[in-house]
Amino acid sequence: MTAAGQTAGRPKRFGQRGGLFVAAMLFLAACGPAGVASPSPISESPETPESPSPVPDVESPSPGAPPTQLVPVPTPECSRLEATPPNAEGPYYKVGSPERASLLEAGLPGARLVVTGYVLSTACEPIPGTWLDFWQADANGEYDNAGYRLRGHQFSDDAGLYRLETILPAQYGSRPRHIHVKVQPPGGPILTAQLYFPDDPQAAFDAIFDPRLIVDLTTEGDGYEAVFHFILDGLTS
Ligand code: FE
């Protein structure tokens, strides 16, 4: 179009510049496809990194270790869910614990432990908004009965997930390692229980110990990751 307009406006010079014009047109014709073609790979290039992104998005949760993404999807287990059994409350429960998902404090000794899991009905339905109140002994097997060290409550999220950051409790007396917990779904009854750890030699000598309350434990760096799903009975249709 532009070349045609220039030609019509300057007929006398066409002959003088005709060769150059033709050469230019040939050059443009030669470059044109490349010029048109070149943007296409550029415009497509953003799609190239985007298309594999679902793979990194799926894989990134594992190395990132965000709590909720470490928890296995419970669906495969749903066909055989049994209600979490109650367990003794013990003498050291205190009402009024602070709401916090991490019980870690500066200078708190002990191996780091993250406990995650779902709160589900026996029908395998997640129970959001469930109150979970944890309390435990420290790395010396002692409870803070004056304050709220290693005590805290939280609520399960919309997916029924909870996540607790704490330390591995020590054994004390004849008791194996354990974390006390109270679990109450919205409008439901309170389940009082204790979470235990695998291969604890003290368990054999403990009358309260219940193997159904053992967490799945794995090491993570210098610490541990535990998974335990609370299954609550008689809550849903
Ligand atoms: Fe205890």
Side-chain angles (χ1 to χ4, degrees):
M1 294 295 289
T2 302
Q6 288 175 343
T7 300
R10 297 179 180 179
K12 294 180 180 177
R13 294 184 179 181
F14 176 78
Q16 298 172 347
R17 298 186 177 181
L20 290 174
F21 176 77
V22 170
M25 290 301 290
L26 289 173
F27 175 79
L28 289 173
C31 294
V36 171
S38 60
S40 58
I42 294 174
S43 64
E44 288 174 2
S45 60
E47 296 176 3
T48 305
E50 283 177 5
S51 56
S53 67
V55 176
D57 285 349
V58 171
E59 292 180 347
S60 60
S62 316
T68 57
Q69 293 159 334
L70 289 172
V71 180
V73 177
T75 307
E77 307 166 9
C78 283
S79 60
R80 46 189 175 87
L81 288 183
E82 295 182 2
T84 301
N87 205 222
E89 177 176 304
Y92 301 124
Y93 179 65
K94 283 183 66 176
V95 297
S97 72
E99 180 175 354
R100 54 183 179 179
S102 176
L103 307 183
L104 299 178
E105 299 174 8
L108 183 69
R112 295 298 184 259
L113 169 69
V114 176
V115 186
T116 56
Y118 286 96
V119 181
L120 302 168
S121 71
T122 49
C124 206
E125 297 166 331
I127 308 177
T130 296
W131 171 76
L132 302 107
D133 198 4
F134 296 97
W135 73 103
Q136 67 172 85
D138 63 17
N140 295 315
E142 297 177 350
Y143 287 83
D144 178 10
N145 296 312
Y148 287 95
R149 188 168 58 103
L150 291 173
R151 299 173 184 271
H153 74 270
Q154 60 181 280
F155 296 88
S156 61
D157 68 12
D158 290 344
L161 285 165
Y162 74 92
R163 180 180 193 267
L164 175 70
E165 290 184 358
T166 184
I167 60 162
L168 191 67
Q171 302 159 332
Y172 62 87
S174 62
R175 302 239 49 218
R177 301 179 195 276
H178 60 278
I179 296 176
H180 295 270
V181 62
K182 286 181 178 288
V183 183
Q184 183 178 35
I190 295 176
L191 168 72
T192 300
Q194 300 182 30
L195 303 183
Y196 297 98
F197 297 86
D199 305 320
D200 191 328
Q202 288 284 84
F205 307 101
D206 186 64
I208 302 173
F209 171 75
D210 187 331
R212 296 172 294 178
L213 295 167
I214 297 176
V215 301
D216 290 328
L217 191 69
T218 56
T219 57
E220 177 64 27
D222 295 333
Y224 298 89
E225 290 182 350
V227 175
F228 189 87
H229 306 308
F230 291 100
I231 312 301
L232 307 182
D233 197 7
L235 298 172
T236 55
S237 57

